[in-house]
Amino acid sequence: MIVLETHEVTKKFGGLTAVNSVSMTVNEGDVVGLIGPNGAGKTTFINAISGLNPPTSGQVKFFGEDTTGLTPEKMCRLGLSRTFQIPSPFPKMTAIESVMTASIFGNDPGVVKDHTAHSREMLAFVEFPMDETVVAEQLNTVQLKRLDLARALASHPKLLFMDEMASGLSEGELQDIMRIIHKISKKGISILMIEHIMQLIMAVCNKLLCIQFGTKIAEGPTEEVANDPKVASAYLGSEEED
Ligand SMILES: Nc1ncnc2c1ncn2[C@@H]1O[C@H](COP(=O)(O)OP(=O)(O)O)[C@@H](O)[C@H]1O
Ligand SMILES: [Mg+2]
């Protein structure tokens, strides 16, 4: 079954075309890696799909329905949730309260009977390393990303977007996140993840999509895209410019 289909999605910021006519699909069970150099338009692309910053043109279909331009809260209720490259938690809320907010507002009424228990389950699922009563502003970036993931999962997504979940992780933490991503996938949640760390991409993704200057340059099985000379030169090109 096709979970997500984009057709020529374009996002312009004034004169800058950040995403240029990107068409792609996510099938049920996929763990798709969205790769490409810094500034390629990866975050803008998922913002356009998830409703945070709707596309300038093009079409988004979620489970066959046209969802182009729907708000993030509508997309969330339909089964799309996400984490952020830079998490922005409610700073004064505790971890459990943060997840409960998503559990209460992200699900249709009646789906979750006990929001506290459900939220506690989500924190355990992501192996949140702190006590549930810790206040968000006391967390470091790695811990915040884990909380952000628990929050995203609390609304029962069918498709999960992750934006650079693994940046800044130690080797041990990388192994942890790999295991957690496998667990999410086993739950039947399809995944589209923006990621730079090849070790993680190769371990969890069955498919890759590479964009450069807002344009899709490769899409296909992980091994094939990872070995595509166009993809290698996209990364090398960006290093030369930096
Ligand atoms: N809200 C915005 N307004 C103007 N330009 C933006 C905005 N968001 C992103 N951009 C620009 O769009 C391009 C793609 O950015 P982004 O999607 O963040 O790239 P990536 O996630 O691949 O690193 C960059 O040139 C960036 O400066
Ligand atoms: Mg980004």
Side-chain angles (χ1 to χ4, degrees):
M1 189 198 289
I2 297 176
V3 173
L4 175 74
E5 205 172 355
T6 71
H7 182 66
E8 297 181 1
V9 163
T10 294
K11 179 69 190 181
K12 295 184 181 180
F13 295 112
L16 172 81
T17 304
V19 176
N20 189 5
S21 200
V22 174
S23 302
M24 57 88 68
T25 51
V26 178
N27 291 301
E28 200 167 16
D30 271 349
V31 181
V32 180
L34 174 51
I35 63 171
N38 284 330
K42 303 180 297 295
T43 297
T44 305
F45 182 59
I46 67 166
N47 286 349
I49 299 166
S50 64
L52 200 62
N53 216 332
T56 310
S57 62
Q59 195 187 37
V60 177
K61 277 187 173 177
F62 191 53
F63 289 98
E65 299 273 320
D66 187 344
T67 58
T68 318
L70 291 188
T71 58
E73 51 273 30
K74 286 217 173 93
M75 293 305 290
C76 174
R77 290 280 178 85
L78 290 174
L80 174 67
S81 63
R82 63 170 297 180
T83 67
F84 289 84
Q85 188 169 352
I86 301 161
S88 47
F90 301 111
K92 303 288 180 197
M93 277 191 187
T94 64
I96 187 89
E97 286 166 350
S98 306
V99 182
M100 281 174 75
T101 307
S103 179
I104 293 165
F105 294 103
N107 288 296
D108 287 326
V111 166
V112 177
K113 303 285 179 241
D114 180 343
H115 290 289
T116 311
H118 177 58
S119 302
R120 201 163 274 153
E121 206 179 295
M122 294 299 106
L123 286 171
F125 184 86
V126 304
E127 302 167 23
F128 185 65
M130 312 282 281
D131 193 89
E132 67 179 39
T133 59
V134 68
V135 178
E137 66 184 0
Q138 289 167 355
L139 298 174
N140 67 31
T141 310
V142 172
Q143 295 159 345
L144 276 178
K145 287 198 169 194
R146 210 57 86 76
L147 178 61
D148 204 24
L149 184 57
R151 195 253 323 131
L153 292 171
S155 60
H156 290 102
K158 299 183 180 99
L159 174 63
L160 174 70
F161 288 169
M162 288 187 278
D163 196 349
E164 300 198 23
M165 178 54 71
S167 51
L169 297 189
S170 68
E171 179 59 34
E173 290 162 341
L174 196 60
Q175 296 299 327
D176 293 342
I177 203 73
M178 258 180 219
R179 194 179 57 251
I180 293 165
I181 293 170
H182 280 303
K183 282 201 298 185
I184 296 171
S185 180
K186 271 209 201 115
K187 260 166 117 63
I189 300 171
S190 307
I191 297 173
L192 174 66
M193 52 189 273
I194 297 175
E195 196 46 75
H196 287 295
I197 299 170
M198 279 321 274
Q199 188 191 349
L200 177 60
I201 292 167
M202 299 311 286
V204 302
C205 298
N206 65 307
K207 189 179 154 182
L208 295 182
L209 169 74
C210 180
I211 61 177
Q212 181 187 25
F213 304 124
T215 305
K216 178 170 92 175
I217 59 166
E219 181 182 14
T222 301
E223 288 281 335
E224 192 181 301
V225 174
N227 293 315
D228 187 330
K230 286 199 297 294
V231 172
S233 73
Y235 276 96
L236 293 173
S238 94
E239 270 174 24
E240 277 163 22
E241 279 158 27
D242 282 349

